Amino acid sequence: MAGIPEQRCEHAAARMQDAEPAAPLDADEARFMRRAIELAWRGWGWTNPNPLVGCVLVRDGRIIGEGWHERCGQAHAERNALADCARRAADGVAEAERTDADAADPARGHARGATAYVTLEPCCHTGKQPPCTEALIAAGVARVVVGSRDPNPLVAGKGSAQLREAGIRVDEDALRAECDELNPIFFRFISRKTPYVVAKWAMSADGKIACASGDARWVSGPESRRDTHELRHRLAAIAVGINTVLADDPLLTCRRQDEPGNQPLRVVLDSHLRIPEDCALVRSCAQGEAPLAVATCADVDDPATDAGTKAQRLQAQGVEVLRVPQDAVGRVAVRPLLRALGEKGIDSLLVEGGSGIHGAFFDEGAVDEVVVYVAPKVVGGADAPGPVAGAGAAKMAEATALGCPRAHALGDDLKITFAAASAARVADHTPASRNALGAAATTQGGGSCSPAL
């Protein structure tokens, strides 16, 4: 079984080898870029499949505008920062500095000669929004400091080149490692067109996800469950197996404590289309609460079959039925499923189980990151299930290498994330984890980690 793969985008890594070392930032410049990073995090969960991006405009050592990419389809960070310049100017900020020529275009006048600190290379192509390079050039920005390089082939160095051609100084790779932490999902998806996969489970201290009776509510504490809802908010889809649906009748919606959440696509791996038509997933889909897709190997294309007629009934309730090839043992094949989700623009997937689904993803080497909530309790029992089934490893030397662990307390539980050495981790950036990892010492693996494959 293969270990968790290295997450750095191949394209970006290749470009880094040819790049000149980034000029060191002074304390003020580092502060401005970290402010841009802080702003970028505000888009958590709302920008998929676009990246998280923040921008800060600075002139004469002070911030004159700032913004972030707030939602997919809406203005990008650079244009939001320029719009903030306009609002500040209109409100009389630095009014004495404005000229008569600036009055007709306060954003352009106020940003002239400024430095833009941007966490990701500005885009130079038209998608749902116009190019940000054009906006920066038109605004008269004198310098752009870039954190991460954009691996999108439509940008990939072209954005910085266009700015330089317009006479703007561009400094790249500023606090790059911190900026790269924002977007492991985007980097993976834009280069491979398949979702970034996070496997998640809660278990007791003796490695059980349920009692032998099947009872599993609740393994973990309330803080861990709230943290899971933050992951549901961040990732574009959730996957569970049909046995979990039959046993637990879960809802799988995002229910954040203090604010609304982005509802992910719920995906049920259901080889024989056994999903009950009155289960909570289907009912909530029919009521428009959250989308639902059922991935199946059954012959749903022929309306004369039982599976075909059931598929039609499900579709009438808003459920998307995806026919996916079966694997060697007759289950929904993982790789074709990931390709199908990628074609739908699903950039990330939270695999919540059960153990058979986790096993299928690990058997295929399709997991990019693991997050485990360990509860301080012992379940015991030889028949109580563990978190991962599947074919598994025949020898300990063939066990899946998860990479470096990072851990912190979450209520009474212990939250542990695993990823390849030096890779960014999505699960480390939930609000609770950011607070804990920023304020307290963490337990992190060292040089003995398995090398990234």
Side-chain angles (χ1 to χ4, degrees):
M1 299 174 73
I4 289 181
E6 177 63 68
Q7 290 310 306
R8 174 170 288 176
C9 168
E10 295 91 342
H11 184 82
R15 294 180 60 225
M16 269 298 290
Q17 293 175 0
D18 298 330
E20 297 181 0
L25 299 181
D26 63 29
D28 283 338
E29 290 181 314
R31 175 170 58 88
F32 295 139
M33 182 59 86
R34 288 198 171 97
R35 173 58 178 169
I37 294 171
E38 179 185 348
L39 293 168
W41 283 118
R42 296 185 182 182
W44 169 274
W46 299 113
T47 66
N48 308 62
N50 288 353
L52 298 171
V53 185
C55 177
V56 169
L57 295 170
V58 176
R59 191 170 65 193
D60 298 329
R62 61 186 179 83
I63 293 174
I64 60 172
E66 57 184 26
W68 67 97
H69 184 35
E70 298 176 12
R71 286 180 182 259
C72 180
Q74 296 183 5
H76 291 180
E78 297 91 327
R79 290 182 179 271
N80 281 333
L82 291 170
D84 187 42
C85 273
R87 286 189 292 271
R88 295 182 188 213
D91 290 341
V93 176
E95 187 70 29
E97 297 181 11
R98 299 176 66 209
T99 66
D100 292 340
D102 294 334
D105 190 347
R108 178 184 302 212
H110 201 54
R112 186 177 294 123
T115 296
Y117 293 84
V118 189
T119 58
L120 182 69
E121 179 181 0
C123 65
C124 55
H125 69 288
T126 299
K128 293 182 179 180
Q129 294 291 320
C132 291
T133 51
E134 292 182 0
L136 293 169
I137 293 168
V141 168
R143 178 185 176 217
V144 176
V145 180
V146 175
S148 297
R149 302 194 180 201
D150 194 336
N152 184 347
L154 296 174
V155 182
K158 300 171 188 174
S160 293
Q162 190 176 100
L163 294 172
R164 290 189 176 108
E165 289 169 2
I168 296 174
R169 174 182 167 186
V170 179
D171 296 321
E172 298 179 292
D173 303 331
L175 299 185
R176 175 163 180 169
E178 294 179 43
C179 291
D180 283 354
E181 284 279 334
L182 290 163
N183 289 306
I185 290 174
F186 174 73
F187 293 158
R188 166 62 183 265
F189 185 67
I190 204 67
S191 60
R192 301 190 192 179
K193 304 301 182 185
T194 56
Y196 182 99
V197 176
V198 178
K200 167 261 171 186
W201 60 82
M203 68 182 188
S204 62
D206 59 335
K208 307 296 186 179
I209 62 171
C211 299
S213 66
D215 181 63
R217 294 189 178 182
W218 296 98
V219 175
S220 57
E223 294 86 356
S224 294
R225 298 198 296 275
R226 284 197 291 270
D227 201 66
T228 293
H229 284 285
E230 288 294 334
L231 287 176
R232 290 180 180 180
H233 171 67
R234 175 65 179 98
L235 302 176
I238 301 172
V240 297
I242 184 59
N243 289 332
T244 294
V245 175
L246 296 175
D248 300 336
D249 194 22
L251 191 57
L252 300 179
T253 53
C254 173
R255 302 181 294 280
R256 301 170 84 193
Q257 186 175 25
D258 300 320
E259 53 190 322
N262 191 32
Q263 294 299 337
L265 173 67
R266 300 162 301 167
V267 181
V268 178
L269 279 66
D270 183 5
S271 303
H272 303 294
L273 202 63
R274 294 186 291 153
I275 186 169
E277 295 174 54
D278 63 346
C279 69
L281 290 170
V282 175
R283 291 198 311 272
S284 59
C285 178
Q287 295 166 1
E289 295 180 19
L292 173 64
V294 178
T296 184
C297 309
D299 183 10
V300 295
D301 298 328
D302 185 355
T305 64
D306 289 343
T309 56
K310 183 174 183 178
Q312 289 181 334
R313 293 193 300 271
L314 289 169
Q315 290 164 343
Q317 297 189 72
V319 179
E320 183 174 7
V321 179
L322 300 173
R323 188 174 185 185
V324 179
Q326 65 183 21
D327 62 14
V329 295
R331 305 169 303 188
V332 171
V334 168
R335 294 292 180 180
L337 172 63
L338 292 176
R339 288 193 293 270
L341 293 176
E343 290 170 0
K344 291 170 54 62
I346 300 299
D347 66 354
S348 48
L349 181 67
L350 181 63
V351 182
E352 291 210 17
S355 61
I357 299 304
H358 280 137
F361 274 82
F362 278 108
D363 286 347
E364 283 294 317
V367 176
D368 297 294
E369 181 179 331
V370 175
V371 55
V372 181
Y373 302 95
V374 182
K377 59 185 68 172
V378 172
V379 173
D383 295 329
V388 181
K395 299 178 180 178
M396 190 56 68
E398 299 171 355
T400 299
L402 296 184
C404 296
R406 186 177 295 155
H408 68 84
L410 197 58
D412 291 335
D413 300 335
L414 183 67
K415 178 180 177 180
I416 309 174
T417 62
F418 298 90
S422 78
R425 302 162 194 244
V426 175
D428 277 351
H429 292 287
T430 61
S433 288
R434 290 184 68 200
N435 289 338
L437 294 171
T442 62
T443 302
Q444 182 171 348
S448 62
C449 294
S450 301
L453 300 178

